[in-house]
Amino acid sequence: MSTSIEPPFPRAWWKSAVVYQIYPSSFFDSNGDGIGDLNGIHAKLDYLKDLGVDVIWLSPIYRSPQADMGYDISDYRDIDPRYGTLADWDNLLQGVHERGMKLMMDLVANHTSDEHEWFQQSKSSKNDPKRDWYMWRPPKYVDGQRFPPNNWKSVFQGSAWELDPITQEYYLHLYVQKQPDLNWDNPIVRNAVWDVMRFWIERGCDGFRMDVINIISKVQGLPDAPVVDHSQYHQPASMYFANGPHVHEYIKEMHREVLSHHDLITVGETPFTHDASVLAEYVLPKNKELNTVFNFDLMDLDSPEESPLVKKAWRLTEFKAIVGRWQMYKREEGYWNAVFIENHDHARAVSRFGNDSVAWRAISAKMLAVLEVTQTGTLYMYQGQELGMKNFPRTWGIEEYKDVASQNYWALIKGQRQEATGKDEVDMEGVLDGFQQKARDHARIPMQASFHSPLGGVMCHLVPMLPAFFVPRLCSTSWSLTFSADPRVSERHDISTRHPFTIHDVLTPCPRCSLPFVFECPDERSHSGTATPNAGFTAGTPWMRAFEEDAREGWNAADQSNAPASVLAFWKRALQVRRVHDVLIYGDFEMRLDKDERVFAYVRTLGDVRAWILLNFSDGVVEVEREGLGMDEDDARRCQLVLGNYEDHDDGSGLSLETKLALRGYEARVYVINRALMAALEWTSKSPSEIQFPPVTDSLCHLIADENLRGGVVNRFHDGTETAQTRILDVKVPTHLMASLKMIARLAEHHSDLCERFKPRLYELAKRKGDSFGSAAVNALVAMSAPFTRDIYICNTLGYLSIILPPLDVEVDSSLSHDDTDEFRLPTVRWVNDTGILNQEFMLQLVSTITSRNVHERTQATLTLLKLCRDAMVREFCTQKNVLDIFVSQLKQKKTSLLAAYALRKCLEYDMCTSDHSLHVAPALVSMVNKN
């Protein structure tokens, strides 16, 4: 097994990314029409960022008749009105990018809608230029009876062919009849698809999920499929349309013409395929096709061949074999996985692979989260997975199943039973049993947001999850609401009376909970904690029934955001652990206890770092032999528990040296040991040049800060001699010195008393000009809250601004709390016009006010301007009007210096300062220090 610190393939941003899939219709409705939309997604961007999401993947939002929930596209270059407009998409993209995330679109190019202009022209005449853009065939006649061209069965039941009455030919539709398949053998069709991709890339899209990309090439001649189901004429034919003869040729062309010119994330959906070698051809870097593909081995584990809507029993050894096979498959050649256990096409994971009973739901959902975050591959999450959402109950009738697959299968089985019995009323309870366990509908019910207010709005303690400009305002005499998901969107939703949206609203704290960016509450109902109708998804009638009973029991984003032991809180911790420990993303995979039917155990190794992952898939206590885990006594003593799904787990200081480890029901544990780190912290009396340090990486520095490792680090500081410890800052090797500084800074954040002995040397290093070691030393001193001298201020402007920021917050808060603060009110004019153009008159007045002699006006205006600087248009305006020069000038005046320093600090955060500004800031800071 390799022990290199680097994996045998290049790292890439998309490999360590966390991708969050949104099913737009069901995520969040911002306008009360009962359907989720783009503005609703925009309103929850801070929630997603806080969760730990890197990439947002949108299921189809293009213009569509919605025969298959948007996968039947009638216009690839427009947004369906139910979701918003192209301007809304642009606004969403901007919000995503401002938060450091990326946006991924769903490319559905095997088929279009029959309402697409391409198909309308194609079916108009056999001689139309676009006739061969689709797959048309004449009928087949047997004994004078007309049949479709072959016996292929549609994925959604019935024939895969539909007769056009005008031209008397059939067109192929592998899915519903309103989804005709494109003819990818036509190069003009391929070029049209490339143009669609370029359209979205040029607009700012960061990647594509490619729907059923492995079925774009069909076998020549389209022969009849072999008969495997004698109960019907139409037969499954995936052997003739999946992974066809030209599929790799076409995807290579896509890569050459489009993908290779951009740094994108790509993932292909590859159904009907379980041969690993076939799937690998789409992904191996040497082939230059896609980053990853979804393999469905795990998703098909509990499905019999006849239908995915029927439940089949599965064994843990089967489950482990699938995961283990893919974790190491062609690793040396660069194969990369797409890790997922939920999406829009499958029922909820906690109901399928966990235990969704009251007693075990949260614990087993967390256990499955550990399974996901500890696998090699790009991690894909699905909306609601982070909340532990489960399948809706068996008591719901067939009328609640909206998916075309469910409806068609129901009609097929009902028809067969009616024909067999000769009765209209037939027993369908068994079918509903299967639906309750396996139907796609469970993934598509509305997201359980439950923001608490009678209007389905937001509760004060949840508003930090929303952008500052999402500010409802309520009338004190009757419930009235005016809001916009973005101030640049002119359309506003009113209930009862309109109230003007002002900058003052943004700065008004809630009178009851004092949190900023909230509405004025007319009574206590908004703080009552009772779940809203429709699980908080919409103020209107939802397009699909919401699981309100479940949301009321705490299974919603609102309640879980404030519960440290919730599934949501655990997912946040788990994703942070994954981000910190590269071994969980890039390490080797070694299965342990492969024959055990209750415990899934495996070991990940990357260089000197090793992780043990233990997952109990049963509700009983299971004892595991330490020897079976490949863990010796030294490993057991020094490893650290970095993640566990029981709140009363041990303190992370290592395992007991007992030979057995007891795992409780559905318990998950992740132990990590960094042998190089442990060696580096075992201080000795050796000379500095002899001290061994691990390579300097971000993950190493985070290890020091990790809550579960901190105890071990502190103990080792206590164990070493003071002389030996201080020598770590005298090492000559630059990387070793930087490692020492970073370690001390991390440790000092929580144990500054242990770092006092380092201060003299840190002060010396902090005075080094233009030196990364000087900056690192300043960071360490900041972590210790150490006093600074003026020469350090001059050398480290940024460090100084970091130091003065906390007291400035106090100063600013104090100035705002003055009795006459309310005397000043900003104009009730929106900072952007309805057309989305910056309101120049208002902005000029605001800039003028930051030079006011009235301290309260100046403070209020400055803070408002800094708040608006979150928007790129405002930052550009401030640059044009030389606002930073005003702050630099104010820095030199005693009365305005503190506020100006605070403003400059914010401008630095917004990356608004040029090198010229930096040259002026340092002497201005010295002047400020002398005056204060």
Side-chain angles (χ1 to χ4, degrees):
M1 183 176 295
S2 170
T3 59
S4 170
I5 192 66
E6 288 297 323
F9 41 77
R11 299 179 186 232
W13 68 265
W14 50 266
K15 290 182 177 179
S16 58
V18 176
V19 183
Y20 186 96
Q21 182 189 359
I22 288 179
Y23 199 68
S25 292
S26 299
F27 188 66
F28 187 67
D29 171 22
S30 71
N31 60 10
D33 67 355
I35 302 171
D37 46 49
L38 295 179
N39 287 336
I41 297 170
H42 191 291
K44 300 298 182 287
L45 289 181
D46 288 337
Y47 166 82
L48 297 175
K49 179 65 177 178
D50 184 56
L51 174 60
V53 172
D54 300 305
V55 181
I56 296 172
W57 154 27
L58 300 180
S59 289
I61 53 173
Y62 314 99
R63 189 175 288 271
S64 166
Q66 301 293 317
D68 183 23
M69 290 307 300
Y71 284 86
D72 51 317
I73 297 168
S74 58
D75 189 344
Y76 284 104
R77 288 178 168 83
D78 198 8
I79 303 298
D80 195 279
R82 67 177 55 204
Y83 302 127
T85 64
L86 278 171
D88 293 333
W89 188 90
D90 291 337
N91 179 51
L92 174 62
L93 180 74
Q94 180 179 341
V96 168
H97 286 174
E98 285 176 348
R99 290 163 177 81
M101 298 185 290
K102 296 180 183 292
L103 190 63
M104 184 177 180
M105 293 288 280
D106 211 315
L107 180 68
V108 186
N110 173 71
H111 44 261
T112 69
S113 166
D114 64 349
E115 297 182 25
H116 195 291
E117 180 187 3
W118 297 346
F119 187 74
Q120 290 297 308
Q121 295 181 38
S122 180
K123 79 170 187 175
S124 65
S125 166
K126 293 182 181 180
N127 299 319
D128 189 88
K130 285 189 170 60
R131 183 66 173 184
D132 65 348
W133 280 44
Y134 294 84
M135 307 194 73
W136 293 93
R137 296 292 186 273
K140 178 173 63 175
Y141 289 91
V142 178
D143 296 330
Q145 185 177 357
R146 185 178 65 194
F147 287 89
N150 63 30
N151 67 346
W152 290 8
K153 177 183 176 182
S154 164
V155 175
F156 292 148
Q157 307 303 324
S159 175
W161 296 92
E162 183 70 15
L163 180 67
D164 172 44
I166 296 177
T167 62
Q168 288 296 302
E169 284 193 339
Y170 287 85
Y171 65 85
L172 179 68
H173 62 88
L174 292 179
Y175 290 87
V176 300
Q177 67 182 44
K178 289 182 67 63
Q179 291 174 293
D181 281 43
L182 283 165
N183 176 19
W184 275 66
D185 293 334
N186 184 340
I188 301 176
V189 170
R190 299 199 298 274
N191 286 329
V193 174
W194 310 159
D195 285 342
V196 168
M197 297 174 72
R198 294 187 188 104
F199 172 85
W200 290 104
I201 293 170
E202 290 168 4
R203 210 169 183 98
C205 168
D206 299 298
F208 298 98
R209 176 264 189 185
M210 301 184 187
D211 186 64
V212 294
I213 194 64
N214 66 327
I215 68 172
I216 58 176
S217 173
K218 283 74 172 177
V219 169
Q220 292 295 319
L222 309 182
D224 276 346
V227 178
V228 294
D229 182 357
H230 294 276
S231 67
Q232 55 183 310
Y233 173 76
H234 307 110
Q235 302 295 315
S238 61
M239 72 289 294
Y240 292 137
F241 60 73
N243 313 300
H246 301 291
V247 64
H248 294 291
E249 173 189 338
Y250 298 157
I251 298 179
K252 283 181 171 65
E253 181 181 329
M254 176 195 292
H255 186 277
R256 183 174 63 254
E257 297 295 327
V258 182
L259 302 179
S260 63
H261 302 286
H262 309 276
D263 185 18
L264 303 172
I265 180 172
T266 57
V267 59
E269 182 192 26
T270 51
F272 316 108
T273 310
H274 297 100
D275 187 327
S277 63
V278 173
L279 290 174
E281 293 302 306
Y282 294 95
V283 176
L284 292 176
K286 65 181 181 181
N287 293 343
K288 297 183 179 180
E289 295 188 20
L290 305 176
N291 294 154
T292 57
V293 295
F294 293 121
N295 81 73
F296 293 96
D297 288 3
L298 206 57
M299 295 298 96
D300 294 339
L301 176 64
D302 60 350
S303 300
E305 290 186 6
E306 60 267 23
S307 174
L309 290 168
V310 177
K311 175 78 171 179
K312 183 184 78 171
W314 59 276
R315 292 179 291 116
L316 182 59
T317 49
E318 297 173 318
F319 187 104
K320 294 193 293 186
I322 292 171
V323 174
R325 177 171 69 253
W326 285 108
Q327 282 295 284
M328 287 303 292
Y329 188 75
K330 296 197 174 184
R331 171 183 168 86
E332 301 296 322
E333 297 179 45
Y335 183 87
W336 195 251
N337 287 290
V339 177
F340 74 104
I341 201 168
E342 281 194 24
N343 66 22
H344 66 290
D345 279 337
H346 297 279
R348 291 293 180 176
V350 71
S351 298
R352 295 179 71 187
F353 303 116
N355 186 328
D356 63 8
S357 66
V358 174
W360 295 111
R361 179 177 175 184
I363 288 294
S364 66
K366 295 175 185 179
M367 182 270 290
L368 292 174
V370 174
L371 169 70
E372 295 294 280
V373 303
T374 56
Q375 291 184 56
T376 285
T378 302
L379 178 58
Y380 285 81
M381 299 177 62
Y382 181 68
Q383 65 183 46
Q385 185 178 355
E386 76 277 16
L387 305 177
M389 284 181 64
K390 69 173 183 177
N391 290 357
F392 54 76
R394 175 62 177 79
T395 53
W396 289 20
I398 185 59
E399 68 277 3
E400 306 298 349
Y401 291 85
K402 308 297 185 184
D403 178 37
V404 62
S406 301
Q407 292 291 334
N408 286 357
Y409 186 76
W410 175 272
L412 173 69
I413 300 302
K414 185 175 183 179
Q416 289 177 346
R417 293 181 181 180
Q418 287 173 332
E419 183 178 355
T421 62
K423 299 178 180 178
D424 290 337
E425 295 297 323
V426 291
D427 182 10
M428 297 291 286
E429 292 300 305
V431 176
L432 274 179
D433 289 341
F435 281 12
Q436 196 280 324
Q437 296 173 315
K438 296 294 301 298
R440 304 194 303 181
D441 303 80
H442 298 290
R444 303 180 180 192
I445 62 171
M447 176 78 166
Q448 290 163 203
S450 278
F451 293 103
H452 302 278
S453 87
L455 294 173
V458 290
M459 188 172 181
C460 295
H461 70 277
L462 293 169
V463 173
M465 300 192 326
L466 304 177
F469 46 74
F470 185 86
V471 187
R473 181 176 174 85
L474 297 170
C475 173
S476 58
T477 57
S478 64
W479 285 101
S480 305
L481 177 66
T482 300
F483 70 86
S484 171
D486 188 301
R488 283 163 292 188
V489 179
S490 59
E491 181 182 354
R492 298 158 68 85
H493 180 70
D494 292 346
I495 299 175
S496 185
T497 352
R498 174 181 291 276
H499 285 267
F501 182 95
T502 70
I503 294 298
H504 173 62
D505 292 329
V506 178
L507 297 175
T508 302
C510 175
R512 292 184 172 82
C513 66
S514 300
L515 286 175
F517 318 148
V518 299
F519 52 79
E520 295 178 0
C521 309
D523 56 40
E524 296 295 339
R525 285 180 291 174
S526 63
H527 291 265
S528 65
T530 57
T532 60
N534 306 316
F537 163 69
T538 179
T541 302
W543 73 275
M544 189 175 185
R545 180 177 174 181
F547 198 173
E548 293 180 282
E549 304 91 336
D550 198 48
R552 281 197 293 269
E553 293 173 359
W555 296 99
N556 64 75
D559 289 340
Q560 292 196 29
S561 292
N562 294 278
S566 68
V567 177
L568 175 60
F570 184 81
W571 262 104
K572 292 179 183 179
R573 292 200 302 273
L575 292 176
Q576 181 59 34
V577 167
R578 177 179 172 87
R579 200 177 305 276
V580 165
H581 298 283
D582 281 354
V583 64
L584 301 178
I585 302 172
Y586 293 107
D588 289 343
F589 180 98
E590 181 183 358
M591 184 79 73
R592 291 287 177 172
L593 310 177
D594 58 330
K595 303 299 183 185
D596 197 302
E597 289 290 359
R598 292 184 295 173
V599 175
F600 192 175
Y602 47 98
V603 183
R604 309 295 309 279
T605 305
L606 185 65
D608 291 307
V609 183
R610 205 166 203 211
W612 286 266
I613 295 89
L614 311 175
L615 309 169
N616 182 0
F617 270 73
S618 73
D619 58 8
V621 177
V622 181
E623 289 190 337
V624 178
E625 297 281 350
R626 180 162 50 79
E627 182 179 355
L629 301 175
M631 180 185 293
D632 59 28
E633 288 190 7
D634 192 46
D635 289 335
R637 184 178 67 255
R638 299 199 299 177
C639 70
Q640 306 293 329
L641 179 67
V642 298
L643 188 62
N645 63 341
Y646 273 78
E647 295 302 313
D648 61 342
H649 59 64
D650 60 62
D651 61 6
S653 58
L655 280 170
S656 166
L657 296 185
E658 297 294 328
T659 59
K660 291 184 178 181
L661 173 67
L663 294 175
R664 291 166 285 186
Y666 294 101
E667 184 166 13
R669 297 189 188 186
V670 181
Y671 291 96
V672 173
I673 182 172
N674 186 325
R675 293 185 175 91
L677 174 63
M678 293 298 108
L681 294 176
E682 290 175 347
W683 316 116
T684 68
S685 58
K686 297 177 182 178
S687 64
S689 61
E690 293 178 306
I691 298 177
Q692 298 298 310
F693 281 83
V696 181
T697 64
D698 287 340
S699 59
L700 171 63
C701 296
H702 279 91
L703 281 171
I704 302 298
D706 189 281
E707 181 179 358
N708 295 309
L709 285 176
R710 206 170 292 135
V713 175
V714 172
N715 290 337
R716 296 183 186 283
F717 262 77
H718 281 309
D719 293 342
T721 64
E722 183 173 332
T723 302
Q725 291 174 13
T726 54
R727 283 181 177 175
I728 67 171
L729 290 180
D730 294 324
V731 292
K732 304 302 182 185
V733 180
T735 54
H736 292 179
L737 176 59
M738 185 59 72
S740 300
L741 289 168
K742 289 185 176 181
M743 287 180 185
I744 293 169
R746 292 290 184 181
L747 185 64
E749 291 176 3
H750 300 275
H751 300 283
S752 58
D753 55 318
L754 296 177
C755 300
E756 286 293 320
R757 65 199 66 173
F758 298 117
K759 277 186 179 179
R761 177 63 173 142
L762 289 173
Y763 278 126
E764 292 179 18
L765 291 170
K767 296 176 184 178
R768 294 167 63 158
K769 295 184 178 180
D771 192 318
S772 58
F773 299 112
S775 299
V778 168
N779 289 335
L781 289 166
V782 169
M784 296 182 212
S785 302
F788 275 64
T789 56
R790 288 188 176 86
D791 51 355
I792 296 178
Y793 297 153
I794 298 171
C795 297
N796 290 282
T797 301
L798 291 178
Y800 176 72
L801 287 175
S802 297
I803 296 164
I804 66 173
L805 182 57
L808 271 174
D809 288 336
V810 177
E811 292 280 351
V812 172
D813 289 342
S814 175
S815 68
L816 286 176
S817 62
H818 196 273
D819 291 340
D820 59 354
T821 301
D822 290 338
E823 293 176 1
F824 174 63
R825 286 289 179 269
L826 289 169
T828 58
V829 180
R830 295 179 66 198
W831 59 282
V832 290
N833 296 322
D834 287 341
T835 57
I837 305 300
L838 198 68
N839 189 325
Q840 296 282 333
E841 181 181 355
F842 170 66
M843 292 304 302
L844 286 170
Q845 184 177 351
L846 191 61
V847 170
S848 174
T849 310
I850 68 175
T851 60
S852 170
R853 292 187 177 184
N854 183 308
V855 62
H856 305 300
E857 289 185 3
R858 184 173 64 245
T859 301
Q860 189 86 332
T862 299
L863 293 181
T864 300
L865 182 63
L866 294 174
K867 196 177 299 293
L868 297 181
C869 278
R870 296 169 179 170
D871 187 272
M873 288 192 299
V874 177
R875 294 197 296 273
E876 182 179 357
F877 175 86
C878 290
T879 301
Q880 293 173 352
K881 301 302 178 184
N882 300 317
V883 172
L884 271 71
D885 292 339
I886 298 175
F887 292 143
V888 171
S889 175
Q890 290 178 338
L891 196 63
K892 301 175 183 178
Q893 305 169 35
K894 186 172 183 177
K895 290 183 178 180
T896 58
S897 58
L898 282 176
L899 185 61
Y902 178 84
L904 286 168
R905 167 65 176 158
K906 288 296 183 183
C907 291
L908 284 166
E909 289 180 3
Y910 294 141
D911 199 24
M912 296 168 62
C913 291
T914 65
S915 56
D916 289 339
H917 289 126
S918 299
L919 291 174
H920 290 91
V921 168
L925 283 173
V926 175
S927 173
M928 172 187 169
V929 171
N930 289 331
K931 287 181 171 64
N932 290 281

